[in-house]
């Protein structure tokens, strides 16, 4: 099913867009091939020799005279041995010439100009391993190898085959790179890149021109800025950056999908700045509120209602309306339903006060006075009056002591629990809840308009300085 959707999306994309995406991909492939050619030339030379014959001139590569002469001399030796014999004087002269050329190659290192000195080291190591000598010398190994006595003793055909298999490919891989007038290696990749460059320039101009014609308010230059990434396709430098337009074009024609990469990059970006951004916003908001508090504007507006310019969006004091609404809910709907709980709590506290009152305890010791409710009530009233007027500290300690015992704690907890439950039920009723929500939203909107100021440049720098200061304090702790 997913493949079917992808096919349908590709069919909806103009063929020209798909063609240009493929052309851009081909061009970038050539760029990568050109940049890696010298590193992989040995592989091409051994397995795809036709490719090196075609592309060597573009990189300014040509056969090195020294190593080519050396290989030519070896071919001359082979022909001479076939025509005459290994023991002939002509073959002996050629072998002497090969000994001189081998020493010359080791001394002059013709591999250096192609940055292949490591190849020469491999040649020397292989010769040392093949022909052991007391000094472990590569020169001496070559001198022994190119001698009539050694070749007769070890077998001419076998030794020549070993050389052609292990040494000749390394010598043949060497080359000479011409140098241009600027002192760098000759590179004529621009000749390969020129047709693509012309295509991309023409396409860029035509595409941006059509964009400017399609949107009247967009100038041609603005359209070029929209397609800024296409410029890399025809820049003669920084060719590796062509990966940007190539990737974008392949994604646009749905040859690849950048969505997973975009998601990961977005997450990484958000994770990187989330903490810093949050700290900045919090500090800025706190500074705004601190400024309003220092000036007293918030308290004057909320509590003193002074005649100060204030933008009111609905001609309603939301704080006052919310407070009135809560008071009405508590007084007329919540408290009446808590009558039994309040009565039980008050009765218990009064009983505790009576039990702990010295005056009441004295009356209980007198026979016959325990059944005088009116006197007890008068004593309670007098005692509560005394507690309220003459001994507030003693009354506080007495009530606190009563509230801390198990029964008082249970009754007070029950009262608080039922109060919260009933208040929540009343506030959650649709009409009351919607009213509070509306008032709160209006209040926050007014607060935002009147008190939250925009961050100007100076304040921005101040916030950054404060943020840096707080981070330094955290590091020192």
């Amino acid at each position: 099913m997913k493949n079917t959707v992808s096919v349908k999306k590709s069919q909806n994309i103009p063929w020209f867009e798909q063609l240009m995406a493929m052309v851009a991909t081909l061009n970038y492939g050539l760029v990568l091939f050109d940049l890696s050619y010298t590193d992989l030339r040995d592989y091409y030379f051994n397995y795809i020799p036709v490719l090196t014959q075609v592309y060597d001139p573009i990189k300014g590569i040509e056969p090195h005279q020294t190593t080519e002469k050396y290989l030519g001399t070896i071919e001359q030796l082979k022909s001479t041995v076939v025509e005459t014999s290994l023991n002939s004087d002509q073959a002996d002269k050629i072998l002497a010439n090969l000994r001189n050329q081998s020493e010359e190659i080791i001394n002059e290192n013709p591999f250096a100009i192609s940055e292949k000195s490591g190849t020469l080291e491999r040649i020397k190591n292989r010769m040392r391993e093949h022909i052991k000598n007391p000094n472990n010398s590569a020169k001496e190994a070559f001198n022994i190898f190119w001698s009539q006595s050694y070749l007769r003793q070890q077998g001419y055909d076998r030794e020549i085959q070993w050389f052609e298999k292990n040494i000749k490919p390394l010598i043949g891989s060497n080359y000479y790179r011409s140098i241009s007038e600027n002192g760098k290696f000759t590179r004529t990749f621009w000749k390969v890149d020129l047709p693509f460059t012309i295509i991309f320039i023409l396409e860029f101009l035509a595409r941006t021109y059509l964009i400017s014609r399609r949107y009247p308010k967009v100038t041609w230059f603005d359209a070029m800025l929209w397609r800024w990434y296409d410029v890399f396709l025809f820049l003669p430098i920084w060719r590796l950056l062509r990966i940007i337009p190539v990737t974008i074009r392949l994604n646009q024609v749905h040859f690849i999908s950048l969505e997973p990469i975009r998601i990961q990059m977005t997450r990484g970006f958000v994770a990187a700045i989330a903490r810093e951004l949050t700290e900045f916003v919090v500090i800025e908001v706190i500074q705004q509120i601190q400024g309003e508090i220092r000036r007293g504007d918030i308290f004057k507006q909320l509590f003193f209602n002074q005649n100060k310019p204030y933008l009111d969006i609905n001609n309603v004091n939301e704080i006052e309306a919310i407070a009135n609404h809560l008071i009405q809910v508590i007084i007329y709907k919540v408290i009446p339903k808590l009558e039994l709980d309040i009565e039980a709590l008050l009765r218990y506290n009064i009983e505790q006060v009576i039990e702990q009152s010295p005056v009441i305890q004295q009356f209980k010791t007198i026979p016959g006075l325990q059944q005088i409710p009116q006197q007890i009530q008068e004593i309670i009233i007098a005692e509560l009056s005394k507690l309220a007027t003459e001994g507030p500290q003693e009354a506080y300690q007495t009530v606190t002591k009563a509230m801390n015992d198990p029964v008082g704690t249970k009754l007070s907890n029950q009262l608080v629990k039922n109060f919260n439950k009933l208040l929540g039920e009343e506030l959650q009723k649709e009409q009351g809840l919607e009213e509070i929500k509306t008032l709160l939203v209006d209040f926050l909107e007014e607060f935002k308009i009147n008190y939250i100021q925009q961050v100007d440049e100076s304040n921005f720098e101040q916030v950054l300085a404060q943020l840096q200061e707080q981070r330094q304090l955290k590091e020192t702790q």
Side-chain angles (χ1 to χ4, degrees):
M1 184 66 180
K2 185 176 180 180
N3 294 334
T4 304
V5 175
S6 301
V7 170
K8 290 182 178 179
K9 287 183 178 179
S10 299
Q11 290 176 349
N12 294 331
I13 298 173
W15 65 268
F16 179 77
E17 296 290 345
Q18 299 184 30
L19 176 63
M20 291 306 301
M22 290 187 289
V23 171
T25 304
L26 174 61
N27 176 254
Y28 194 69
L30 289 175
V31 170
L32 295 179
F33 173 78
D34 179 76
L35 293 175
S36 63
Y37 180 78
T38 55
D39 295 328
L40 300 177
R41 184 183 178 278
D42 288 352
Y43 176 83
Y44 302 143
F45 178 80
N46 293 323
Y47 299 100
I48 317 177
V50 177
L51 181 60
T52 57
Q53 296 174 9
V54 173
Y55 208 78
D56 276 356
I58 295 175
K59 299 295 290 185
I61 294 176
E62 57 189 56
H64 197 286
Q65 293 181 357
T66 301
T67 52
E68 284 296 307
K69 179 183 177 181
Y70 187 77
L71 295 177
T73 304
I74 294 175
E75 294 299 322
Q76 184 180 0
L77 173 65
K78 292 165 60 178
S79 300
T80 302
V81 171
V82 172
E83 294 175 358
T84 59
S85 67
L86 179 63
N87 298 321
S88 64
D89 293 338
Q90 188 175 0
D92 187 56
K93 292 181 180 178
I94 296 175
L95 289 172
N97 190 13
L98 283 172
R99 291 193 293 271
N100 293 333
Q101 291 184 33
S102 299
E103 187 172 350
E104 180 183 353
I105 288 176
I106 294 175
N107 292 333
E108 297 182 1
N109 187 12
F111 294 83
I113 193 169
S114 58
E115 299 177 349
K116 293 174 64 65
S117 296
T119 302
L120 177 60
E121 292 302 318
R122 286 198 296 272
I123 294 173
K124 292 162 63 176
N125 291 333
R126 290 182 181 182
M127 289 300 299
R128 293 192 191 99
E129 292 176 0
H130 186 65
I131 301 178
K132 305 293 184 180
N133 59 85
N135 298 324
N136 195 27
S137 169
K139 293 181 181 180
E140 187 173 347
F142 271 106
N143 289 333
I144 295 174
F145 184 86
W146 296 122
S147 64
Q148 288 180 331
S149 59
Y150 176 81
L151 292 176
R152 281 196 305 268
Q153 181 181 359
Q154 300 296 328
Y156 168 80
D157 292 335
R158 186 170 67 86
E159 290 299 310
I160 291 298
Q161 289 178 2
W162 176 88
F163 187 88
E164 291 186 343
K165 179 181 178 182
N166 296 279
I167 305 298
K168 183 179 178 181
L170 296 178
I171 297 176
S173 67
N174 187 41
Y175 55 84
Y176 172 80
R177 292 196 68 179
S178 60
I179 299 176
S180 61
E181 294 181 355
N182 59 8
K184 298 181 179 180
F185 290 128
T186 301
R187 296 183 178 92
T188 57
F189 178 73
W190 63 270
K191 296 180 180 179
V192 179
D193 195 43
L194 181 60
F196 294 95
T197 301
I198 295 174
I199 293 174
F200 292 138
I201 290 178
L202 294 177
E203 186 234 5
F204 178 75
L205 295 175
R207 186 187 294 272
T208 53
Y209 178 75
L210 291 176
I211 292 175
S212 64
R213 296 285 294 178
R214 185 181 306 171
Y215 304 101
K217 294 184 179 180
V218 178
T219 64
W220 197 358
F221 181 73
D222 292 336
M224 291 181 181
L225 293 179
W226 285 7
R227 304 284 301 189
W228 61 270
Y229 49 85
D230 283 339
V231 175
F232 292 116
L233 289 173
F234 49 83
L235 279 181
I237 57 176
W238 305 328
R239 290 190 176 97
L240 281 178
L241 293 180
R242 295 183 185 183
I243 187 62
I244 298 175
V246 169
T247 305
I248 293 175
R249 286 170 179 253
L250 291 176
N251 180 69
Q252 289 174 345
V253 298
H254 304 295
F255 287 173
I256 62 173
S257 177
L258 296 179
E259 188 64 18
I261 300 177
R262 185 195 65 81
I263 292 175
Q264 293 299 326
M265 291 181 62
T266 302
R267 289 176 180 175
F269 177 77
V270 171
I273 69 171
R275 179 178 178 182
E276 184 172 354
L277 181 61
T278 302
E279 291 178 353
F280 180 86
V281 172
V282 170
I283 291 176
E284 171 60 19
V285 172
I286 292 175
Q287 283 188 343
Q288 294 290 342
I289 297 176
Q290 287 175 337
E292 297 296 335
I293 292 175
R294 292 190 186 98
R295 291 189 293 271
D297 294 339
I298 294 180
F299 296 108
K300 291 178 183 179
Q301 182 64 35
L302 297 180
F303 302 110
F304 301 105
N305 196 24
Q306 295 187 358
N307 296 326
K308 179 183 176 182
Y310 182 85
L311 181 59
D312 198 333
I313 62 176
N314 56 3
N315 295 323
V316 175
N317 189 326
E318 288 79 10
I319 298 299
E320 182 179 350
I322 293 174
N324 289 335
H325 181 78
L326 292 176
I327 291 173
Q328 291 178 6
V329 170
I330 294 173
I331 293 178
Y332 295 106
K333 295 184 179 181
V334 177
I335 292 180
K337 295 179 181 180
L338 296 173
E339 181 177 357
L340 296 178
D341 294 324
I342 296 174
E343 182 180 351
L345 182 62
L346 290 177
R347 182 182 295 110
Y348 176 77
N349 279 281
I350 292 174
E351 289 175 357
Q352 292 299 312
V353 172
I354 293 174
E355 291 294 333
Q356 297 179 16
S357 174
V359 177
I360 299 299
Q361 297 301 323
Q362 291 178 2
F363 272 90
K364 287 185 177 181
T365 60
I366 302 174
L369 296 182
Q370 293 88 347
Q371 306 297 328
I372 305 177
Q374 184 64 35
Q375 292 179 353
I376 295 296
Q377 293 177 5
E378 293 296 330
I379 292 173
I380 292 174
I381 294 173
E383 189 67 21
L384 291 175
S385 176
K386 179 180 179 182
L387 290 172
T389 57
E390 299 178 3
Q393 296 180 356
E394 182 180 354
Y396 173 76
Q397 295 175 356
T398 302
V399 173
T400 302
K401 183 177 180 181
M403 294 293 290
N404 288 334
D405 65 27
V407 179
T409 301
K410 179 180 179 180
L411 292 173
S412 61
N413 290 339
Q414 181 179 354
L415 175 61
V416 173
K417 180 179 179 180
N418 291 335
F419 176 82
N420 291 335
K421 178 181 178 181
L422 293 171
L423 179 61
E425 291 176 353
E426 293 297 331
L427 292 177
Q428 289 179 6
K429 290 183 177 180
E430 184 175 356
Q431 182 177 359
L433 184 61
E434 289 299 325
E435 182 178 355
I436 292 177
K437 287 167 59 177
T438 302
L439 291 171
L440 284 174
V441 171
D442 292 341
F443 170 73
L444 292 176
E445 184 66 25
E446 293 179 5
F447 185 85
K448 179 178 66 176
I449 295 174
N450 288 275
Y451 297 114
I452 302 300
Q453 305 171 359
Q454 294 182 351
V455 183
D456 55 16
E457 184 176 355
S458 59
N459 194 32
F460 178 81
E461 295 177 354
Q462 181 182 359
V463 172
L464 290 180
Q466 186 172 356
L467 180 60
Q468 182 66 23
E469 181 179 354
Q470 290 184 358
R471 289 180 177 176
Q472 292 177 355
L473 289 176
K474 290 180 181 180
E475 293 176 356
T476 57
Q477 291 178 352

